[in-house]
Amino acid sequence: MQPVPEASVPVPVQLRLSGVPACRVGSGPWQAMAAKDALLLARLCLQGRQPRSAIAAWLWPGVPMPRSHANLRQRLFRLRLHLGRPVQEDADGLCLAGHVQCDASRSHQLSPPHDTESGDDNQARLLEGLTVTDEALAVWLDDARSAWAGVQFDQLAGRVAGLQARGELAAALPLCERLLALDPLREHSWRALMRLHHQRGDRAAAVAAFERCERVLRDELGLKPSPETLALLADVEA
């Protein structure tokens, strides 16, 4: 990351944690982040304010506390140098500064950047490509990724429902297929796909969606479609 000059008014900073972690200052280019930087900023983004000692022990497990605190001070100095104070420090601990926006934050949802090759934000894994060897860090990363996948699924399902409510059925169809790619075992998503095809007047596609659902449930879980799904099929066939 390139150093940024000090400014009386902080320049907005954007963090991208979905996919390969990256950051940018203002309208500058996206820059890759070091693993420790990405982990530190991700924890502050996802969990809010954190005690300094907890972050130091978490990032440098097994390191004596004076050394881990020194490592944290150095890490924060480097972040100030390159991103213009993205972390607010006070007696209560550390948190993201107000001028920082993060795509994984509930309060600052960013649209996917158009000037990168980050791919589909609704299928990108949190901190993609980041690997950790410490067990505690690995457990935290796995839990964070699972939670982020759930958030992505819910957001995508909301977009499908909104498009369907507005009658934009053609636009909703590929998003519904992406829901099924994320989790093919949710019958609710299969019913949504069946309804979309049915509302478009494509009875054959709706029946084919049911047959795909039936096959997935049988092969993966040894189950049959629920009564609700069977009732929807009856409506389609009627």
Side-chain angles (χ1 to χ4, degrees):
M1 291 188 291
Q2 298 296 320
V4 297
E6 288 284 345
S8 56
V9 178
V11 179
V13 172
Q14 293 184 4
L15 302 178
R16 190 179 69 221
L17 303 181
S18 178
V20 178
C23 60
R24 72 173 176 180
V25 180
S27 58
W30 288 94
Q31 303 179 65
M33 284 194 290
K36 295 285 189 185
D37 292 341
L39 286 167
L40 168 61
L41 296 174
R43 178 160 171 171
L44 297 181
C45 173
L46 296 171
Q47 297 179 219
R49 186 181 300 277
Q50 299 289 303
R52 181 185 291 267
S53 58
I55 290 292
W58 178 68
L59 284 175
W60 292 278
V63 175
M65 188 59 69
R67 181 68 256 173
S68 64
H69 273 273
N71 290 344
L72 180 58
R73 285 194 299 272
Q74 185 179 36
R75 182 68 51 178
L76 293 172
F77 173 78
R78 285 171 49 83
L79 285 173
R80 288 196 300 270
L81 180 65
H82 296 293
L83 296 180
R85 296 183 181 275
V87 177
Q88 179 179 324
E89 306 173 53
D90 55 38
D92 295 328
L94 309 174
C95 66
L96 285 184
H99 63 284
V100 176
Q101 290 185 324
C102 179
D103 63 353
S105 169
R106 293 183 182 275
S107 58
H108 293 293
Q109 288 294 333
L110 297 177
S111 59
H114 298 289
D115 56 347
T116 68
E117 299 297 328
S118 60
D120 187 345
D121 62 314
N122 285 98
Q123 296 187 23
R125 195 167 62 145
L126 188 75
L127 300 178
E128 186 66 55
L130 197 68
T131 57
V132 294
T133 55
D134 177 73
E135 182 178 356
L137 284 174
V139 169
W140 181 90
L141 187 55
D142 286 344
D143 290 345
R145 282 171 172 166
S146 296
W148 174 243
V151 169
Q152 288 180 302
F153 189 94
D154 292 342
Q155 289 177 344
L156 187 55
R159 290 171 62 188
V160 170
L163 289 169
Q164 185 176 14
R166 295 192 297 273
E168 300 178 41
L169 306 180
L173 275 172
L175 299 188
C176 197
E177 290 285 1
R178 280 161 52 185
L179 277 178
L180 291 166
L182 289 171
D183 189 350
L185 300 181
R186 295 202 192 194
E187 270 192 82
H188 182 276
S189 300
W190 286 109
R191 289 194 295 271
L193 183 62
M194 291 172 64
R195 290 189 185 97
L196 286 171
H197 285 304
H198 186 40
Q199 288 174 321
R200 298 186 73 214
D202 193 340
R203 174 182 174 277
V207 173
F210 169 82
E211 292 172 347
R212 288 167 58 197
C213 169
E214 184 179 40
R215 183 166 56 252
V216 167
L217 294 177
R218 181 187 65 239
D219 294 347
E220 298 295 329
L221 301 176
L223 298 176
K224 296 181 179 180
S226 68
E228 186 177 356
T229 304
L230 293 173
L232 177 58
L233 175 65
D235 289 342
V236 169
E237 292 180 326

